[in-house]
């Protein structure tokens, strides 16, 4: 039996798991889907992090060696994404792409590579991260067209 173009594409995307594509093409594209499990380890290899100081506000300082050695964030700190994966999800949704099956083969792996690259990560106080995330979500909500 012959396959339609969309069936062939669907089968190609399902079978393309070796390049990082999901085996669940009907899965919704979410912020957490774009975040690698090892993003914290990647962030802890960076040369600097950010702290809150009374005189400077947020200040960039050298990454302490114990953080580099353990790969563990200190209490009160979070990994921040310069280009937040939630923003990527919002932009894709604005373009009508909300499901993995709508992505081209290799696109998920490429998006994850960009989002989790060392140049897109920083370690910041959790309060700063939460404030930025809240503002980003509010902006995305306000810019999403209502139907």
């Amino acid at each position: 039996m012959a396959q339609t173009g969309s069936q062939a594409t669907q089968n190609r995307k399902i079978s393309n798991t070796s390049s990082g594509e999901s085996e669940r093409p009907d899965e919704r594209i979410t912020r957490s889907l774009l975040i690698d499990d090892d993003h914290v380890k990647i962030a802890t290899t960076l040369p600097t992090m950010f702290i809150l100081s009374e005189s400077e506000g947020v200040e960039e300082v050298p990454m302490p060696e114990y953080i580099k050695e353990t790969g563990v964030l200190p209490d009160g700190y979070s990994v921040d994404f310069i280009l937040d994966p939630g923003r990527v999800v919002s932009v894709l949704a604005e373009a009508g792409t909300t499901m993995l099956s709508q992505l081209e083969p290799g696109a998920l792996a490429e998006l994850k590579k960009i989002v989790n690259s060392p140049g897109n990560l920083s370690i910041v106080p959790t309060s700063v991260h939460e404030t930025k995330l809240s503002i980003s979500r509010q902006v995305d909500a306000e810019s999403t067209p209502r139907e």
Side-chain angles (χ1 to χ4, degrees):
M1 176 184 231
Q3 293 182 333
T4 66
S6 65
Q7 288 172 325
T9 301
Q10 183 84 356
N11 289 342
R12 184 178 73 240
K13 289 179 183 174
I14 290 171
S15 65
N16 196 8
T17 57
S18 62
S19 65
E21 298 302 312
S22 175
E23 294 180 10
R24 300 176 307 272
D26 59 339
E27 185 175 356
R28 194 166 221 25
I29 301 169
T30 62
R31 183 179 189 277
S32 61
L33 181 69
L34 297 177
I35 300 173
D36 277 339
D37 292 339
D38 62 352
H39 74 285
V40 172
K41 287 232 183 270
I42 295 167
T44 59
T45 65
L46 298 171
T48 61
M49 65 181 283
F50 294 87
I51 63 168
L52 284 178
S53 74
E54 292 193 26
S55 61
E56 301 288 324
V58 177
E59 182 180 353
E60 189 171 14
V61 298
M63 182 77 66
E65 285 303 314
Y66 78 92
I67 295 174
K68 289 181 181 183
E69 291 168 4
T70 63
V72 177
L73 295 176
D75 287 341
Y77 286 84
S78 298
V79 174
D80 188 56
F81 296 86
I82 295 166
L83 170 61
D84 192 84
R87 183 70 190 129
V88 174
V89 171
S90 293
V91 170
L92 287 171
E94 288 171 14
T97 303
T98 58
M99 306 301 285
L100 285 179
S101 60
Q102 295 172 290
L103 293 176
E104 292 295 320
L108 177 61
E110 189 61 29
L111 287 170
K112 288 180 79 167
K113 181 179 172 184
I114 293 166
V115 165
N116 296 283
S117 69
N120 193 49
L121 305 175
S122 60
I123 296 176
V124 301
T126 299
S127 61
V128 171
H129 171 70
E130 289 174 348
T131 299
K132 180 184 168 197
L133 197 54
S134 175
I135 291 169
S136 178
R137 287 180 176 153
Q138 181 179 354
V139 167
D140 283 343
E142 289 172 1
S143 66
T144 302
R146 306 273 189 258
E147 291 188 40

